[in-house]
Every structure is written in C-alpha cells, then in structure tokens.
Amino acid sequence: MTLEEVLEKYTVVIGLEIHAQLLTHSKAYSADPNEFGAVPNTNVSPISLGHPGTLPRLNAQTVNYAVKLGLACHCDITRDMHFDRKNYFYADLPKGYQITQDKTPVCTGGYVLIKDAQGNPKKIELTRIHMEEDSGKSMHDLDPFNTLIDLNRAGVPLLEIVTEPVIKDAVEAYNYLTEVRKLVRYLGVCDGNMEEGSMRCDVNISIMPKGAKEFGQRVEVKNMNSIRNVAKAIEFEIVRHAEVLAAGGTILQETRNYDATTSSTVGMRKKEAAHDYRYFPEPDLGALHISQEYIDEVEKNQPPLPNDLLIKYTTKLGLSEYDALNIIDSKNIAMYFEDMIAKTNQYKKAANWLMGSVKSYLNQNALEIKDFPLSSDRIVQLIELIEEGAINNNIATQKVFPAMVENPDKSPKEIAEANNWVVKDDSDELEIIIKDIFSNNPDETKRFKDGERKLTGFFMGQIMKATKGSADPKTTAQLINKIINTI
Ligand code: ADP
Ligand code: MG
C-alpha cells in the first residue's frame, strides 16, 4: 500500500513527547556537573549514584527554564506543585526510581504555532510540560559481551513536553519539532541537538477509518536522532498499520524502535495495559511554590522569540515572509541581523546581504555565523558605501566583499580606494575612455551608429574592462548615446 492510498481511507492521529536536556551547569537534584561528552562515570557523586542516605536538592535553574519555556508556549504555570517518584528497575537508573512530576506538572495547556502541510497556521496544543531527570546511558554496542553504562547522564535535568493527539501527518510533526527546537535554542534552555540526544522525541501514532469517532490503537516509536527520521518513522508506521488492518490483524500496543539504516521500525517491547510505576510524592523534596512576581520577572527577561521577530520583520521592517523566516531560522543569524538593523535602516538591503553573500560564504566554507570574520558593522559600512554611490553593487559583491573577508580589519572604503574600485563619476574621464573605445573599434562603431542597438552590450563590456568595472552603468549608458550622436 502507498501512503496516498492509506490517507484516502484513514485519518492519522499523532502525539509527540519531547525530552529536552537543559543547559544548566549542574544536575537536576545535585551539584554534579551537567556536561556532554565528559569521560564516562566522572560526573557522579553519591547523589547521582543513588547511594542510601543521600538527599536530592532542587536546581533553581531547572525551574527557571521550565517557566521560560512554559511562557513561550502560552502555558498555564502551576503555582503549587511537588515532585513524584516513578519507580522502575533498570541498570542505568541507580536509585531505582526517577524523580519526575506526575500529578502537578509545572506547565499545563498552551500551544506551539506551526504551519500545516498546506502552509496554513495551526496551533499544536500541549497537554503538559514537566520537570524530571535523565537516566544514565546504556551502551549495548561498545563491548561484544557486556552492556556498558555511563552514569554521567543520570540526574541531568529534562523538560518533557507532551502534545495533545492533534498532529495529523509527518509534515506537521516535522514542523512542530523544528519550531520547538528553534524555541528552546532562542530561549537558551536546551541546545536542541537531536544527533547528540540532547533533544529526543517519542512518537505516538494511530490510524482510524475516516469519520470514526474513536482513536485507533496507538504505537510508540522511540530512538530517532533527527527530525527527518521522525517524519520517516511516521510515514512508515502509517502504511504498516494500514497493512496490518487490511490483512485482518490488530495493532498491538507496543514500543517500537526506529532503524535509520532501513528507514523502518521494529517491535521492541509490548506495553502492559497499565503501567505500574507506583508513583508517589517524592518525600525528600519539599513542595514548590512559584509566585506571580517570579513569573513576571521571567516574562520580563524573555529574549526575543521567533514569532515576535517574524511579526517585527514582516510589518515594521517590510521584509517578505520568506526572507524573514530565512533569517529567523537560526538564532545566531537573527542576532547578527538584529545588530545590523540597529545601525542602518536599509532593512531590505541588510537582509539581502546577509541571506546572499554572507550566507553563501558561510556555506562554501562550512562555517557558522559565529565564525564569520566580519562584524555586522562592516556589512553595514558596505551597504552605506553603495548607497553613497561610491561603489556599485557588482563591484561590491564581486570584489569588495571577498576582499573584506580576507582583511576584516580594513573598512570597505579603505579596500575600495586602495584597489581603485571607487565609482568613476568623473564624466570627463569616462568620455575620453568611451571616445577611445569608439575609435579603436571602427567597425562596431559604424554598425552601432547605423542602428545595431544590441552592440550596446559590447561597448558596455569594453568600458567596464577599461574602468575595471567601476564605471556607473547608468551614466555610462547615457554617455554612450550622447557621444555616438556626435560622431
Ligand atoms: P504515556 O505516558 O503512556 O506515554 P500519555 O497518555 O502520556 O501516555 O500519552 C502520550 C502521548 O500519546 C501524548 O502526546 C498523546 O497525545 C498521545 N496519544 C494518546 N492517545 C493517542 C492515540 N490514540 N494515537 C496517537 N497518539 C495518542
Ligand atoms: Mg510515553
């Protein structure tokens, strides 16, 4: 069956659970460093190891980040909450339980605004966001006989972001994840790197016949390390479900693993009908109260968010939505743009330079904007130099910009002057050059005078060559016409 065939008969229902590792200095309930890539089992104190007699202590930064994200997602912030123990036995969970929030998640409700498959705006409603801790990391493929465990990750603070079952297809899931990743990066709460596992996503998916009132049996897919793979896993599952149903089978409630090498999913474990995590309030952590003053303070210090910038760029600055989204896509690019527009009101030109020459340079050299040699000041100076008419656009992109990148400490003006690239608006000098060119090319000149207008290009080329491209094209065209009539 093809995806299209399935979608004719079935409605797809998807809910996503995202785990975001927080960029705090220390762990959620201890002072152990929270750091990616450290030597295994070095960031572990008796608290991370769950030794008897140790006590957790809540990291205030975790709460701050949770409220930041909650406000950015328009959630209700819970004022009085507690933590819960989720009990289960696994080798990478030394305490034998995870400290999480069951009954009183820090955020409820809210939504993330995305575009649906048709490009229309859609609110993806959130069920909740809660605070919890990561487990250690089990590595099954490093040793042929044993599973190795790194407990550095045990106790790293997480926010779990759960959506309502309102996502309809792979495109919406893709756009939602991209938006959440953008949001956590703008907020600085998580680095959003799915490849490193600092943002992870579980997909819950089911299908039901079109028009049906009741959801189908859902399956949970884990272990996707890119947003693209989440979309692929969804498309695979949709077809698999329909094929199972068409063959008279039933969908089992199970957890499946995504295998990127085959772009398919494999059954991992059957879920029992009811979990038995035996949640109960964590007795070692006190109740947590969040005051209105605290929420106001977080709100006041929120950085500019992607949607605010989109509105600002498309209304106040008059950029197209396409350009605006292009800039906002990366926080660091947007911050560079913000620096530029603080110094010039040539907004459209600033956007064009950033999305054009600057981005091509970055792509060609596989660099990030933070490694770009030129400050935003330099690009603004270049834009101003063009505006003044001191250099033309061609010279600016083809000569001055490449020279600036090589000499970041020189201003575009110094560079243009030193290389003789400043526009010759000296018509006398240009007239002499044009007359010379006419007399050196008698044949073309005669044909041009006799009306062969397409030779304009030929003469333009000759003049640009003689002036190293610095002649102003408009003045040159006027002079060519003036002089030819006097010959
Ligand atoms: P669990 O704790 O077992 O993972 P939850 O009730 O917290 O279960 O739901 C997890 C996710 O599954 C949520 O994002 C929810 O929207 C989604 N979900 C629930 N029912 C369905 C369904 N029938 N089809 C697809 N997604 C679903
Ligand atoms: Mg789940």
Side-chain angles (χ1 to χ4, degrees):
M1 255 186 259
T2 67
L3 184 61
E4 288 69 30
E5 283 163 3
V6 179
L7 295 182
E8 271 171 32
K9 281 204 237 150
Y10 290 99
T11 300
V12 176
V13 176
I14 300 163
L16 299 183
E17 294 164 275
I18 296 176
H19 286 91
Q21 278 183 346
L22 301 182
L23 292 168
T24 55
H25 295 295
S26 50
K27 291 189 182 175
Y29 312 112
S30 77
D32 293 353
N34 169 15
E35 131 191 73
F36 181 79
V39 176
N41 298 309
T42 52
N43 290 335
V44 285
S45 65
I47 301 180
S48 290
L49 297 175
H51 285 189
T54 58
L55 287 174
R57 189 156 175 237
L58 181 60
N59 184 341
Q61 193 74 58
T62 309
V63 181
N64 179 261
Y65 284 177
V67 174
K68 268 172 113 82
L69 183 62
L71 291 175
C73 296
H74 319 274
C75 303
D76 291 324
I77 308 296
T78 307
R79 301 306 190 74
D80 291 294
M81 68 196 98
H82 64 266
F83 289 83
D84 297 282
R85 281 191 188 179
K86 179 179 180 177
N87 300 280
Y88 65 94
F89 178 76
Y90 202 73
D92 59 21
L93 188 78
K95 288 201 295 283
Y97 58 86
Q98 178 192 30
I99 304 181
T100 179
Q101 292 191 295
D102 180 35
K103 293 283 185 308
T104 57
V106 58
C107 310
T108 55
Y111 62 88
V112 174
L113 191 62
I114 66 150
K115 289 250 163 71
D116 69 12
Q118 286 73 44
N120 299 316
K122 174 169 176 177
K123 283 180 181 173
I124 301 298
E125 281 105 11
L126 302 183
T127 313
R128 58 191 277 155
I129 301 176
H130 65 257
M131 299 180 268
E132 60 183 31
E133 62 179 325
D134 215 339
S135 61
K137 194 169 162 55
S138 304
M139 287 169 263
H140 304 287
D141 49 5
L142 284 184
D143 182 293
F145 306 109
N146 299 297
T147 289
L148 304 184
I149 294 176
D150 178 9
L151 292 174
N152 283 349
R153 205 179 71 175
V156 165
L158 298 176
L159 288 180
E160 178 170 342
I161 310 153
V162 184
T163 74
E164 290 286 292
V166 291
I167 296 170
K168 285 222 281 292
D169 53 37
V171 177
E172 289 184 8
Y174 186 97
N175 291 350
Y176 168 76
L177 284 167
T178 307
E179 208 51 46
V180 171
R181 185 173 62 183
K182 227 193 282 180
L183 212 50
V184 294
R185 285 178 174 167
Y186 268 78
L187 290 165
V189 303
C190 167
D191 66 23
N193 294 336
M194 286 188 72
E195 302 74 18
E196 292 177 356
S198 48
M199 188 171 123
R200 307 193 288 270
C201 174
D202 300 340
V203 174
N204 294 271
I205 178 165
S206 65
I207 65 172
M208 57 181 173
K210 277 203 165 152
K213 292 271 180 305
E214 230 173 278
F215 289 170
Q217 175 59 55
R218 78 177 147 119
V219 160
E220 189 173 18
V221 187
K222 289 181 181 291
N223 197 28
M224 288 147 296
N225 62 0
S226 76
I227 296 182
R228 201 168 297 279
N229 284 346
V230 170
K232 283 192 194 161
I234 288 173
E235 296 194 336
F236 177 84
E237 275 300 299
I238 294 173
V239 175
R240 189 185 68 83
H241 284 218
E243 284 175 347
V244 168
L245 296 177
T250 47
I251 304 294
L252 301 172
Q253 174 166 12
E254 60 174 347
T255 302
R256 297 177 72 86
N257 237 335
Y258 181 70
D259 180 354
T261 56
T262 55
S263 300
S264 63
T265 67
V266 256
M268 200 163 73
R269 60 181 139 93
K270 306 263 176 299
K271 254 195 180 174
E272 297 110 54
H275 299 303
D276 200 1
Y277 289 128
R278 293 171 192 259
Y279 283 102
F280 64 86
E282 167 59 56
D284 290 340
L285 281 174
L288 177 64
H289 174 75
I290 297 184
S291 67
Q292 184 60 44
E293 291 73 43
Y294 182 89
I295 297 173
D296 293 345
E297 193 61 25
V298 175
E299 178 89 74
K300 210 173 77 200
N301 292 311
Q302 286 288 71
L305 295 178
N307 267 320
D308 306 329
L309 292 182
L310 179 63
I311 293 168
K312 171 173 160 188
Y313 294 173
T314 50
T315 59
K316 237 174 91 192
L317 308 192
L319 301 187
S320 67
E321 187 177 274
Y322 179 86
D323 285 349
L325 286 173
N326 219 335
I327 292 169
I328 295 163
D329 194 43
S330 140
K331 179 188 180 184
N332 290 338
I333 295 265
M335 293 305 114
Y336 192 93
F337 184 66
E338 286 284 300
D339 275 351
M340 290 174 91
I341 60 174
K343 293 169 204 133
T344 175
N345 51 16
Q346 301 282 346
Y347 308 130
K348 179 77 186 143
K349 299 217 162 78
N352 288 347
W353 274 96
L354 186 55
M355 292 297 99
S357 299
V358 176
K359 238 186 168 174
S360 318
Y361 177 85
L362 297 177
N363 288 343
Q364 276 159 22
N365 296 282
L367 291 177
E368 304 262 353
I369 188 88
K370 64 175 170 30
D371 308 313
F372 184 52
L374 299 176
S375 68
S376 59
D377 283 24
R378 288 286 187 233
I379 306 294
V380 169
Q381 289 165 355
L382 182 61
I383 293 170
E384 278 166 0
L385 209 59
I386 303 166
E387 282 310 291
E388 287 163 14
I391 53 173
N392 67 41
N393 237 323
N394 277 341
I395 288 286
T397 37
Q398 279 156 34
K399 307 267 187 184
V400 184
F401 178 80
M404 284 169 73
V405 182
E406 297 303 320
N407 305 279
D409 47 329
K410 292 221 168 62
S411 76
K413 191 162 182 207
E414 288 168 316
I415 291 175
E417 280 170 353
N419 290 284
N420 234 343
W421 289 328
V422 175
V423 168
K424 307 260 184 314
D425 61 348
D426 182 349
S427 308
D428 293 345
E429 197 185 322
L430 202 53
E431 265 193 60
I432 296 169
I433 293 172
I434 296 173
K435 281 180 181 161
D436 270 359
I437 289 172
F438 280 148
S439 59
N440 291 339
N441 299 280
D443 180 39
E444 284 84 357
T445 305
K446 181 165 183 310
R447 280 157 51 207
F448 188 51
K449 198 168 164 60
D450 290 346
E452 204 177 315
R453 300 312 297 177
K454 68 170 197 284
L455 282 165
T456 313
F458 165 78
F459 287 114
M460 269 292 192
Q462 295 288 312
I463 294 159
M464 287 304 165
K465 216 159 118 192
T467 59
K468 290 203 211 137
S470 67
D472 176 53
K474 215 163 128 197
T475 326
T476 310
Q478 284 165 354
L479 280 175
I480 292 178
N481 286 323
K482 193 181 115 195
I483 297 167
I484 196 77
N485 290 329
T486 64
I487 300 179

